[in-house]
Amino acid sequence: MNLQTIRQQFERKRGQQQQKKLDLVQAISEQDKIKKEISISEKAQAVIIAVAMATQEELQYRIAEPVSLALASVYDNPYLMNVRFDITGRGTTECHLGFERNGHIIKPLEASGGGPVDIASFALRIGSWSLAQPRSRPILILDEPFRFVSRNKMPLAGQMLKEISKQLGLQIIMVTHISELIECGDRILNVQIHNGISELVQDG
């Protein structure tokens, strides 16, 4: 092997070494870039989690509070509305609603009678309306909303309707045949069906 050949091999090796150094510098630069992206992603994820938790807490209050207050205004030993958010394996969040009493949580439909469910459903409609952006017109139409509420609790249910209507500036139009609820109305329209057609027979 002559000197020229050795020199060529040396130059080739030196070129390869220089390329390796450049590749290493580029790899370090890419590594630093990836580390920065990971750091930014982790910070963004922390912000997202914080916002999600704050949103869930706000929703929990906005859902649970009106229902619990509505139930307390009608029943002596009322249930409390329990709201729980669970993150599923699919990366989505599920909201679970339950009634709570004495530290025990039960499904609303398993509560004693359907009256508490009627009251809770009404309060949830009010909560949904108040959360809507933009908010719709302040008119709520109900068809026999408290059909499973016991008769002796109807005056309290009717009073709750009046209070909510007054406090929220919400006009409630309700179809009912229950006298205790009819008496709570500011204006009463009596309607009868003749030959399959609803007719106004008295404007009270």
Side-chain angles (χ1 to χ4, degrees), residues 6-21:
I6 294 173
R7 183 173 296 165
Q8 289 175 350
Q9 290 180 350
F10 175 77
E11 291 298 331
R12 186 166 58 252
K13 294 293 183 181
R14 187 166 65 175
Q16 291 175 350
Q17 182 186 40
Q18 291 296 328
Q19 185 60 48
K20 294 295 183 183
K21 286 182 179 180

Side-chain angles (χ1 to χ4, degrees), residues 8 13 25 29 35 64 66 69 81 86 99 101 107 115 129 153 157 189 204:
Q8 289 175 350
K13 294 293 183 181
V25 169
S29 176
K35 285 181 178 179
L69 288 174
M81 174 58 74
D86 291 334
F99 282 166
R101 181 187 281 168
K107 294 180 180 179
W129 174 79
K153 296 296 183 183
L189 304 176

Side-chain angles (χ1 to χ4, degrees), residues 72-195:
S73 68
V74 177
Y75 296 100
D76 299 325
N77 184 23
Y79 294 100
L80 297 175
M81 174 58 74
N82 181 280
V83 181
R84 189 184 80 246
F85 292 93
D86 291 334
I87 299 176
T88 68
R90 300 182 299 275
T92 58
T93 302
E94 293 181 350
C95 178
H96 299 273
L97 304 179
F99 282 166
E100 180 179 351
R101 181 187 281 168
N102 301 325
H104 299 289
I105 299 174
I106 62 173
K107 294 180 180 179
L109 293 178
E110 294 175 1
S112 56
V117 175
D118 281 349
I119 300 297
S121 297
F122 167 74
L124 285 172
R125 288 190 66 182
I126 296 296
S128 298
W129 174 79
S130 67
L131 284 171
Q133 294 295 336
R135 187 175 291 179
S136 63
R137 295 178 121 186
I139 299 174
L140 186 63
I141 301 175
L142 306 173
D143 183 10
E144 299 290 0
F146 303 136
R147 67 188 72 189
F148 295 113
V149 174
S150 58
R151 202 73 184 224
N152 65 322
K153 296 296 183 183
M154 283 298 177
L156 292 173
Q159 187 61 35
M160 176 192 63
L161 281 175
K162 291 194 74 167
E163 287 296 324
I164 287 176
S165 175
K166 181 179 178 181
Q167 291 180 15
L168 298 180
L170 182 64
Q171 182 180 14
I172 297 176
I173 301 172
M174 178 173 55
V175 177
T176 185
H177 66 279
I178 300 171
S179 58
E180 290 87 350
L181 293 179
I182 294 172
E183 292 170 1
C184 294
D186 297 319
R187 184 178 178 187
I188 301 168
L189 304 176
N190 291 309
V191 178
Q192 291 182 355
I193 297 178
H194 294 289
N195 299 324

